[in-house]
């Protein structure tokens, strides 16, 4: 079973970026953890991060994964294009946020993506990715 883990703008800065909010795990460490957790579950893990909306859309359009774990970063709150890509591709998608977007600024509480995702994990730091991998494996065999 294959999973695409897609990370949006600024997630490459993990570890350096507002560590009080996003934790001190770096993006490289997150990649390693996801490969390890995926491996333990018998999943083939593809990871992709981009600061560019169109690049994220292209990667999503191309994927042959069974399910997607998506942290859209700030595009969560703004991107109709990413929302439509998730809906259009039709793969089961789990939205993940490191921080609890419901305990922050008012404008951050609104996600354009949640409506087209199968579930949302928010506020559990990098553990959110582990939970999403494990849930996706159970819930979406064969996509
Ligand atoms: C985030 C939350 C977003 O509001 C923010 O813009 C991010 C990261 C998170 O993982 O908590 O870039 O998606």
């Amino acid at each position: 079973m294959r999973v695409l883990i897609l990370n949006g703008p600024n997630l490459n800065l993990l570890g350096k970026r507002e560590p009080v909010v996003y934790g001190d795990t770096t993006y490289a460490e997150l990649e390693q953890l996801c490969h390890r957790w995926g491996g333990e579950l018998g999943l083939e893990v593809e990871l992709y991060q981009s600061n560019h909306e169109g690049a994220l859309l292209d990667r999503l359009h191309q994927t042959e994964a069974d399910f997607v774990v998506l942290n859209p970063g700030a595009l969560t709150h703004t991107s109709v294009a990413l929302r439509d890509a998730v809906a259009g591709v039709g793969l089961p998608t789990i939205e993940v946020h490191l921080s609890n977007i419901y305990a922050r600024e008012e404008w951050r509480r609104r996600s354009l993506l949640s409506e087209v995702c199968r579930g949302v994990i928010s506020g559990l730091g990098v553990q959110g990715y582990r939970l999403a991998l494990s849930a996706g494996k159970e819930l979406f065999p064969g996509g």
Side-chain angles (χ1 to χ4, degrees), residues 52-112:
H52 304 279
E53 187 180 45
L56 293 164
L57 264 62
D58 288 344
R59 189 57 178 249
L60 197 54
H61 292 175
Q62 284 156 14
T63 191
E64 292 183 355
D66 298 286
F67 71 99
V68 178
V69 173
L70 172 64
N71 184 344
L75 295 175
T76 306
H77 319 292
T78 61
S79 181
V80 174
L82 187 56
R83 182 248 180 247
D84 284 356
V86 170
V89 165
L91 287 173
T93 298
I94 303 176
E95 179 180 345
V96 170
H97 300 283
L98 295 150
S99 65
N100 179 355
I101 59 170
Y102 303 102
R104 299 184 64 193
E105 302 92 330
E106 183 71 40
W107 54 266
R108 231 183 260 278
R109 293 181 198 165
R110 175 162 164 267
S111 166
L112 298 185

Side-chain angles (χ1 to χ4, degrees), residues 117-135:
C117 288
R118 299 285 285 269
V120 182
I121 299 171
S122 184
L124 302 180
V126 295
Q127 290 300 322
Y129 290 81
R130 186 173 65 79
L131 294 168
L133 290 172
S134 150

Side-chain angles (χ1 to χ4, degrees), residues 34-54:
C34 287
H35 281 297
R36 194 180 90 205
W37 291 328
E40 285 166 5
L41 292 162
L43 295 170
E44 198 181 307
V45 173
E46 279 176 74
L47 273 139
Y48 184 70
Q49 188 277 330
S50 179
N51 295 321
H52 304 279
E53 187 180 45

